[in-house]
Amino acid sequence: MRPHRRGALRGPLFLCLILIALALSRCGSDGDDRGSAEPRGPVSALVTDVVDGDTIEVELPDGSEEDVRYIGIDTPETVKPGEPVECGGPRAHDVNERLVAGRRVTLRFDAERRDQYDRLLAYVYLPAAETGGRPMFVNAELLRRGLARTLTIAPNDSFADRFARIAARAGARGRGLWGRCPL
């Protein structure tokens, strides 16, 4: 048996570590190894329909259409099959429609791009050009008006603390759902 030389494995070990690091860096990238055209954020999109208080349909720059579910919030149901229209649902839908229908929005993504229904999951912003001044964070605005509750689903939780504070203020002021609907 040959004596082990100190440092004899450094070269191959170093090469293996580099290859592992490169492979791991690809795992966390926005790229999709399946070859699909998954949108990268932020993405500008045209709102073509407002489904309810927390879901919209958009046309992406490549012409494709996507359903988009707002991250971090939940509004009362208005269109869920087999479920009654919930208190505050029509109002949340109407306000969401007034805010974004027919307008260009910016979609920003978090850790996961899609939910179990294959909808894009996004934070939705109205750019300053659409509001006549400052950009509007639509998810937060619906919470501020008391038209939504928080819905934190890890790992898409970048704004969970901020959303909780906004919802608590809306509740303390009796805004929207908080003043009219049993919670």
Side-chain angles (χ1 to χ4, degrees):
M1 186 166 159
R2 289 178 36 192
H4 177 70
R5 287 186 318 165
R6 184 179 154 118
L9 295 177
R10 279 191 188 151
L13 182 60
F14 183 72
L15 181 60
C16 284
L17 289 174
I18 289 176
L19 292 174
I20 290 170
L22 286 172
L24 289 175
S25 71
R26 286 280 302 153
C27 291
S29 72
D30 280 337
D32 186 51
D33 292 334
R34 293 172 291 159
S36 70
E38 193 69 30
R40 296 176 183 260
V43 173
S44 177
L46 177 65
V47 177
T48 57
D49 189 31
V50 175
V51 177
D52 60 19
D54 55 31
T55 308
I56 56 178
E57 292 178 5
V58 300
E59 181 180 318
L60 298 176
D62 67 2
S64 64
E65 294 203 0
E66 292 277 0
D67 290 338
V68 176
R69 173 68 166 77
Y70 294 4
I71 297 174
I73 69 169
D74 188 41
T75 61
E77 296 299 336
T78 58
V79 295
K80 190 171 184 179
E83 296 290 326
V85 172
E86 294 177 342
C87 180
R91 185 160 177 238
H93 175 270
D94 292 346
V95 169
N96 192 28
E97 191 164 53
R98 283 197 308 271
L99 291 174
V100 300
R103 298 175 114 177
R104 193 152 291 281
V105 296
T106 301
L107 306 176
R108 295 184 185 274
F109 306 106
D110 208 329
E112 293 178 334
R113 282 296 159 88
R114 295 189 181 270
D115 68 6
Q116 63 189 10
Y117 306 107
D118 202 36
R119 297 176 295 191
L120 281 177
L121 298 170
Y123 300 109
V124 179
Y125 294 82
L126 277 168
E130 289 288 337
T131 63
R134 297 176 57 194
M136 179 190 295
F137 188 4
V138 179
N139 309 48
E141 182 65 17
L142 292 168
L143 285 168
R144 188 187 70 72
R145 294 184 186 200
L147 302 173
R149 297 175 195 92
T150 60
L151 177 65
T152 303
I153 301 174
N156 292 334
D157 54 10
S158 295
F159 290 96
D161 292 340
R162 178 178 177 185
F163 286 175
R165 287 190 305 272
I166 294 168
R169 279 195 302 268
R173 293 178 177 145
R175 289 186 175 156
L177 305 172
W178 305 105
R180 294 179 184 89
C181 300
L183 297 174

